[in-house]
Amino acid sequence: VLGTRFNVNSYKNEPVIKTTLLEGSVKVSQQNSRASRMLKPGQEANLARSGEITVATADTVQALGWKKGVFVFNDLQFVDIMRQLERWYNVNVDYSTIPRTRFNGVISRDVPLPKALQMLEVTGGVEFKVEGRTVMISK
């Protein structure tokens, strides 16, 4: 790390490790590889499981929503939203019928799971059924 303000998003259920830089500079590299990329403020590095590193303009509001206690969904795929909710609420999501759609919105991390799901139902044309710790999705 050569900078001062950045965020790293690295979870087992995510397809890439994301590093978002706000201020300063950060060098991102793959362990056991010579490949590396230097980030500038406002950029995001995506490190794929294959080891490929790509750099793009970051959605810093979305990347840092957790610091403000919110989920921020800016044109985010529904599957990505559900992975976040799955981790936060410690539930399992049945992805077998997940729609291929995108959402925009903000949900407080303080709301209980049923309320968060209700907010998505109202805005997205999906329905949820919760059985124990499993969330099932239908269109």
Side-chain angles (χ1 to χ4, degrees):
V1 176
L2 308 170
T4 56
R5 291 184 55 206
F6 66 99
N7 183 55
V8 176
N9 182 314
S10 176
Y11 296 99
K12 288 182 182 179
N13 72 340
E14 292 292 338
V16 297
I17 298 171
K18 292 183 181 182
T19 303
T20 306
L21 180 63
L22 295 174
E23 291 178 9
S25 61
V26 172
K27 184 177 182 180
V28 177
S29 60
Q30 171 66 11
Q31 191 174 19
N32 302 323
S33 171
R34 294 178 191 241
S36 67
R37 300 291 299 267
M38 189 69 100
L39 296 182
K40 296 176 184 174
Q43 289 184 324
E44 174 180 276
N46 294 299
L47 174 59
R49 303 287 179 208
S50 66
E52 179 185 7
I53 301 171
T54 57
V55 175
T57 301
D59 183 339
T60 57
V61 173
Q62 188 163 288
L64 296 174
W66 65 272
K67 279 186 80 170
K68 295 182 180 184
V70 294
F71 295 103
V72 179
F73 310 132
N74 291 332
D75 194 34
L76 201 61
Q77 290 184 19
F78 190 64
V79 68
D80 296 327
I81 292 169
M82 294 310 297
R83 283 197 308 264
Q84 289 184 44
L85 297 181
E86 187 173 43
R87 288 190 305 268
W88 184 253
Y89 292 104
N90 191 28
V91 295
N92 298 310
V93 174
D94 179 352
Y95 290 96
S96 62
T97 59
I98 196 156
R100 300 178 68 93
T101 187
R102 294 180 170 275
F103 284 85
N104 292 294
V106 176
I107 297 176
S108 172
R109 289 178 181 255
D110 292 337
V111 302
L113 177 63
K115 179 71 173 172
L117 296 177
Q118 180 184 25
M119 293 168 86
L120 288 171
E121 283 181 339
V122 169
T123 62
V126 294
E127 293 181 8
F128 297 96
K129 182 177 179 183
V130 180
E131 289 184 4
R133 306 270 338 138
T134 303
V135 177
M136 292 162 284
I137 305 160
S138 62
K139 295 181 184 180

